[in-house]
Amino acid sequence: MLETNRYQRQVLFVPIGETGQTKLSQSHVLIVGAGALGSSSAEALTRAGIGQLTLIDRDYVEESNLQRQQLFSETDMKQKTPKAIAARQRLAEVNHHVQIHAIVGDAEVDILRKVVPEADLIIDATDNFETRLILNDIAQKYQKPWIYGAVVASYGITFTVLPDKTPCLQCLQAYIPAYGATCDSVGIIQPVVQKVVSHQVTEALKLLTGNEADLSGKLISFDLWKNAHTEIDIAALRKKDCPSCSENRSYPNLAYESRMKTTKLCGRNTVQLRSQRKSTDLSEVAKELQKNKQIKLFQNPYLLSFEIDSYRVVLFQDGRTLVHGTMDQQEAKKIYHRYLG
Ligand SMILES: [Zn+2]
């Protein structure tokens, strides 16, 4: 039984109506990441009356999150509450009808294999490219639509991937900014989050209420500060030989060998990471890192090294990275994604 008053304004909206509202109440969305994008889309879907939400996030709430991660409070920060748990608490206050599943952990292949089949669609709210590649392949494998979204500084980008219908992230890689810039290196303003989430949640509502014909079909990117907006029609960009979505697909990002490898270096306070990105343009990375004045940078023809807080990070051309200053593999990964995307 729908609470007609609660959702009345949304039901009045013709493309949704009573039928769409009922479909929403029976839908299950997986949101990967409960940071800025994740908390904002989770709140929007919770208010819209989604049936179930699953949230995955590995972090806890920190002070620097409060500027843009709308579900979290100073109390969450003081208690170092895991983001997925803090989000669930807040969302339950917003709409107690929604079933919320909170998973505190890395969005790794094994966890995603369990939760993706249960979901009707996936919203990408992660902060790193490795996870998005995994998400891309697993969504194809289980035939689930997923909505890419990324933000940094005043820039945002989003598109919707429909298995076997649209190009996937692998197909569109050339249209996505190269890695290097992250919210921790060049910062972020909050409105850019809302704009990407507006697109992501609207696309989700279209899909879940049976309005697939209204999907945008575009890769949308914008820079709010520079007043720039670009739309690329993606229909023709599907690659015939794509390893993730073509007929001869192999889902390379789900293979154990291609996942990011971390190794503790014996006797040293150092973790080595091996990324699945084949080659690294170190000068591109350096250019992005230079924007953060707190980072001390050093570069020679073979490697790039930078210091931040108590860590020293060294990147090699072959995709290897050393994180000095920790023995903890999860912490090393976090530092890697924080500054290198
Ligand atoms: Zn593809």
Side-chain angles (χ1 to χ4, degrees):
M1 185 63 192
L2 291 177
E3 282 181 288
T4 41
N5 212 32
R6 178 168 195 140
Y7 303 115
Q8 191 206 22
R9 302 300 189 279
Q10 193 167 274
V11 168
L12 273 174
F13 180 67
V14 173
I16 294 183
E18 292 278 1
T19 319
Q21 191 63 45
T22 305
K23 285 182 178 161
L24 277 183
S25 71
Q26 294 162 350
S27 298
H28 185 169
V29 171
L30 166 65
I31 300 180
V32 182
L37 290 171
S39 42
S40 186
S41 59
E43 179 166 346
L45 288 170
T46 297
R47 290 190 186 275
I50 196 79
Q52 294 183 62
L53 272 185
T54 297
L55 299 168
I56 307 181
D57 196 285
R58 63 175 167 213
D59 272 334
Y60 59 88
V61 180
E62 293 175 88
E63 192 180 16
S64 66
N65 303 146
L66 299 180
Q67 164 247 4
R68 65 195 180 285
Q69 303 187 8
Q70 69 186 51
L71 291 177
F72 309 133
S73 66
E74 292 179 358
T75 310
D76 298 324
M77 180 230 355
K78 284 178 199 142
Q79 296 175 346
K80 292 188 170 33
T81 313
K83 289 183 184 179
I85 303 296
R88 184 178 62 191
Q89 281 165 3
R90 171 72 187 135
L91 294 169
E93 288 168 6
V94 169
N95 187 349
H96 74 282
H97 297 285
V98 181
Q99 264 192 64
I100 297 159
H101 315 281
I103 300 172
V104 180
D106 251 322
E108 282 172 343
V109 177
D110 301 335
I111 287 187
L112 290 172
R113 269 191 220 280
K114 288 191 195 119
V115 293
V116 166
E118 309 276 305
D120 297 298
L121 75 81
I122 308 161
I123 291 186
D124 161 31
T126 68
D127 57 359
N128 70 82
F129 201 67
E130 310 279 344
T131 305
R132 290 191 177 99
L133 284 174
I134 295 173
L135 214 51
N136 183 63
D137 282 13
I138 209 145
Q140 293 290 336
K141 188 174 160 79
Y142 293 101
Q143 296 282 295
K144 304 289 181 183
W146 74 282
I147 306 169
Y148 172 95
V151 287
V152 66
S154 52
Y155 176 86
I157 177 168
T158 178
F159 55 85
T160 301
V161 179
L162 302 180
D164 297 337
K165 291 184 184 162
T166 68
C168 75
L169 177 60
Q170 288 275 7
C171 299
L172 295 174
Q173 255 197 82
Y175 301 88
I176 294 167
Y179 87 129
T182 72
C183 298
D184 290 278
S185 60
V186 296
I188 180 164
I189 53 168
Q190 192 266 0
V192 79
V193 174
Q194 300 304 340
K195 193 166 157 83
V196 165
V197 166
S198 295
H199 284 287
Q200 287 185 299
V201 172
T202 307
E203 291 280 279
L205 291 175
K206 291 173 189 173
L207 275 164
L208 297 172
T209 59
N211 288 287
E212 205 172 293
D214 292 330
L215 291 171
S216 90
K218 303 225 165 59
L219 180 150
I220 296 168
S221 64
F222 53 83
D223 191 316
L224 276 176
W225 203 267
K226 294 179 182 155
N227 313 303
H229 183 96
T230 315
E231 292 189 359
I232 303 171
D233 213 321
I234 58 172
L237 301 177
R238 201 162 163 211
K239 289 189 171 164
K240 285 202 170 62
D241 58 349
C242 175
S244 299
C245 76
S246 70
E247 267 179 42
N248 298 317
R249 62 186 76 178
S250 59
Y251 303 125
N253 304 302
L254 301 186
Y256 182 75
E257 310 76 58
S258 68
R259 293 186 216 166
M260 183 185 266
K261 299 288 188 304
T262 57
T263 339
K264 276 189 259 187
L265 294 194
C266 210
R268 295 166 66 187
N269 195 18
T270 300
V271 174
Q272 174 175 282
L273 298 98
R274 198 177 269 283
S275 156
Q276 62 206 77
R277 275 185 265 240
K278 295 288 174 284
S279 66
T280 306
D281 184 343
L282 295 179
S283 46
E284 275 297 306
V285 180
K287 224 165 65 192
E288 291 301 332
L289 288 170
Q290 253 154 11
K291 294 178 185 165
N292 183 340
K293 299 295 169 220
Q294 282 161 353
I295 287 179
K296 274 192 272 172
L297 209 63
F298 168 84
Q299 199 183 352
N300 69 26
Y302 315 101
L303 59 84
L304 169 74
S305 151
F306 66 92
E307 284 175 39
I308 183 81
D309 304 327
S310 56
Y311 306 99
R312 190 157 59 84
V313 182
V314 184
L315 278 87
F316 297 90
Q317 215 110 37
D318 64 358
R320 240 168 1 98
T321 304
L322 296 178
V323 180
H324 301 282
T326 181
M327 299 266 268
D328 181 332
Q329 304 188 28
Q330 291 305 323
E331 191 181 334
K333 256 194 191 174
K334 191 166 150 178
I335 296 300
Y336 178 95
H337 290 314
R338 179 172 279 185
Y339 295 101
L340 301 165

